[in-house]
Amino acid sequence: MSAASNLAGLYYPTNESTIWKKNLPWDPIPIHTIPYKDIAVIYPENICPKFEELYNSTLYSSYFKNVLQKHEAITTFIEKKTGWNIEELGYFETLYTVFYIYNMHNSSYLPEWADQIDMSELNYLAGLHFSIGTFTTEMQRLKIGPFFNNLHNYFDGIINGTNPKFLMISAHDETIASVLNSYGVYDYHLPEFAETIIWELYKSANDDVYLRIYNKKCKDFKELDVKQCQHQCSYDKYLEMMQSISVDSNQWKTECKGSV
């Protein structure tokens, strides 16, 4: 659906004869998909037992138990109103997403107790849940490493002149959070609908290649300072910085089978 929406904007029909339906300015563009099991680039956890073990141990670790204790008031209130027994942060993500959609489309669905919740606190706890999958370097490698490897290979192809200069990848909010957290710039708030990460690759007059990375939200657009790479980041320095996370699919499969 995200890919369809993006394509509808990029290929907005200008000729009435191509409009698919009256009063619907849309020119259908084919979207090709492959099975989940083959999407190691943006859905690696589907077939990575080691990641699942690491994720579950982190989800119920003392660190995140302490987070629940620190936010005991909101946790107890939500449990009382929903009947949930909140043992991990995923409950906050579910509740925040439901409230967000109701507010956007039909606020009459919101329960009367919704306005008693600090939504910024709820958003933080929901966003923190999205950080768990990339909580450590090892988890980043297993969760989002194949994505970075694929992206960097594509950059190399652009530099070598073998790849087109534009690539668009449509994924989920969790993918956005995973990339931002691996870069060390995640603000622990759930990614917004249509939030985007933009990579721009440049070559200077003396053939030095550098990278600029941006994060676009609905009402905010900013350049990211990724870890030790500030502003115009040397591409070689960037690759060196990401070496511990980026992993090709064969090595990833090997590491996924290893013991925790």
Side-chain angles (χ1 to χ4, degrees):
M1 292 170 66
S2 295
S5 297
N6 288 329
L7 289 169
L10 285 169
Y11 297 96
Y12 192 89
T14 56
N15 188 335
E16 289 189 5
S17 64
T18 65
I19 293 179
W20 178 72
K21 188 177 181 180
K22 187 178 180 180
N23 299 324
L24 180 61
W26 176 49
D27 193 2
I29 305 295
I31 300 170
H32 301 276
T33 63
I34 59 177
Y36 270 143
K37 65 182 180 64
D38 297 326
I39 313 180
V41 170
I42 59 174
Y43 198 74
E45 70 271 26
N46 188 50
I47 49 174
C48 188
K50 183 177 182 180
F51 173 81
E52 291 296 335
E53 291 184 42
L54 289 169
Y55 181 87
N56 288 327
S57 63
T58 304
L59 181 65
Y60 296 102
S61 65
S62 59
Y63 177 88
F64 287 103
K65 287 181 180 178
N66 289 335
V67 170
L68 288 177
Q69 291 176 359
K70 184 177 179 180
H71 296 270
E72 184 178 4
I74 189 174
T75 301
T76 302
F77 179 81
I78 293 173
E79 286 182 333
K80 180 180 178 181
K81 295 298 183 180
T82 62
W84 290 342
N85 178 25
I86 298 178
E87 298 178 333
E88 44 93 0
L89 298 181
Y91 290 87
F92 299 109
E93 179 201 330
T94 298
L95 187 64
Y96 181 85
T97 301
V98 171
F99 281 4
Y100 182 89
I101 293 172
Y102 284 173
N103 267 314
M104 182 183 295
H105 296 288
N106 191 342
S107 60
S108 67
Y109 283 108
L110 288 168
E112 59 181 14
W113 49 267
D115 59 2
Q116 300 177 49
I117 292 180
D118 183 340
M119 294 302 292
S120 61
E121 182 180 11
L122 181 61
N123 189 356
Y124 166 75
L125 292 170
L128 191 60
H129 176 252
F130 266 5
S131 74
I132 296 175
T134 49
F135 193 67
T136 66
T137 300
E138 184 178 19
M139 295 175 73
Q140 291 169 7
R141 187 173 173 86
L142 296 176
K143 171 77 171 180
I144 202 73
F147 169 86
F148 282 121
N149 182 74
N150 183 75
L151 183 68
H152 301 159
N153 286 340
Y154 196 90
F155 288 159
D156 291 340
I158 293 176
I159 295 170
N160 296 330
T162 57
N163 282 341
K165 293 183 178 181
F166 180 78
L167 170 69
M168 183 173 70
I169 299 174
S170 181
H172 291 289
D173 48 5
E174 188 175 1
T175 311
I176 294 287
S178 295
V179 170
L180 293 175
N181 201 41
S182 297
Y183 278 157
V185 294
Y186 184 43
D187 61 5
Y188 302 117
H189 286 76
L190 283 184
E192 299 175 357
F193 287 95
E195 184 168 336
T196 306
I197 301 173
I198 301 170
W199 291 265
E200 292 185 346
L201 202 61
Y202 294 85
K203 181 182 286 187
S204 67
N206 57 357
D207 289 337
D208 292 331
V209 179
Y210 64 92
L211 188 66
R212 300 180 74 168
I213 306 173
Y214 303 88
N215 181 211
K216 180 186 180 300
K217 300 185 180 183
C218 291
K219 297 181 180 180
D220 186 33
F221 183 87
K222 64 181 180 181
E223 186 167 2
L224 301 176
D225 290 331
V226 177
K227 296 186 177 180
Q228 299 86 18
C229 247
Q230 308 293 318
H231 192 45
Q232 297 181 6
C233 181
S234 162
Y235 183 57
D236 288 339
K237 180 179 179 181
Y238 167 83
L239 290 180
E240 181 181 352
M241 179 184 70
M242 298 299 295
Q243 187 175 9
S244 62
I245 299 174
S246 180
V247 57
D248 65 50
S249 57
N250 290 330
Q251 181 60 29
W252 175 78
K253 290 177 182 178
T254 299
E255 292 180 16
C256 280
K257 296 176 181 178
S259 58
V260 176

